Amino acid sequence: MAKVKRKKVVKPKAEKVQKIAKNPPEKKPAEYIEFVKFIATPQVMRDMKTQGNFSEKFKVSETTLSEWKTREGFWDDVLRARREFFKDKTS
């Protein structure tokens, strides 16, 4: 049986976390930041097309992802990430 290579999840630097998420959850903050960036990225530009794909890659349940979407401040974090995403594309 062949070994499956898994990509290592790179934890974002502290200043990048503060720039995107003002109050990330205590559990899985790196995954939260990646999910915020995933939601902020236009669907046609995403490597993963669905929340289910994200869930599998980052080993976070879809229930957790749905709960994150209802967290106070989540959509503000998405807006900040979207601004960063497009700032990088237009400058």
Side-chain angles (χ1 to χ4, degrees), residues 71-86:
R71 278 176 56 93
E72 186 174 334
F74 175 81
W75 294 104
D76 293 331
D77 293 343
V78 170
L79 182 59
R80 275 189 291 282
R82 189 168 287 151
R83 286 181 182 144
E84 283 297 308
F85 176 83
F86 283 109

Side-chain angles (χ1 to χ4, degrees), residues 16-86:
K16 191 74 168 176
V17 168
Q18 288 298 335
K19 200 174 215 182
I20 293 173
K22 296 299 180 192
N23 187 24
E26 288 184 25
K27 290 184 179 182
K28 299 190 179 256
E31 291 83 350
Y32 175 82
I33 297 299
E34 289 303 316
F35 185 59
V36 167
K37 293 191 304 189
F38 168 77
I39 294 295
T41 303
Q43 191 170 10
V44 296
M45 299 177 82
R46 294 179 188 164
D47 294 333
M48 299 164 284
K49 298 298 180 189
T50 68
Q51 188 170 302
N53 298 139
F54 184 95
S55 173
E56 289 175 14
K57 180 176 180 179
F58 287 93
K59 305 293 184 235
V60 178
S61 74
E62 288 192 62
T63 302
T64 298
L65 299 178
S66 294
E67 288 171 359
W68 284 349
K69 289 164 71 174
T70 64
R71 278 176 56 93
E72 186 174 334
F74 175 81
W75 294 104
D76 293 331
D77 293 343
V78 170
L79 182 59
R80 275 189 291 282
R82 189 168 287 151
R83 286 181 182 144
E84 283 297 308
F85 176 83
F86 283 109

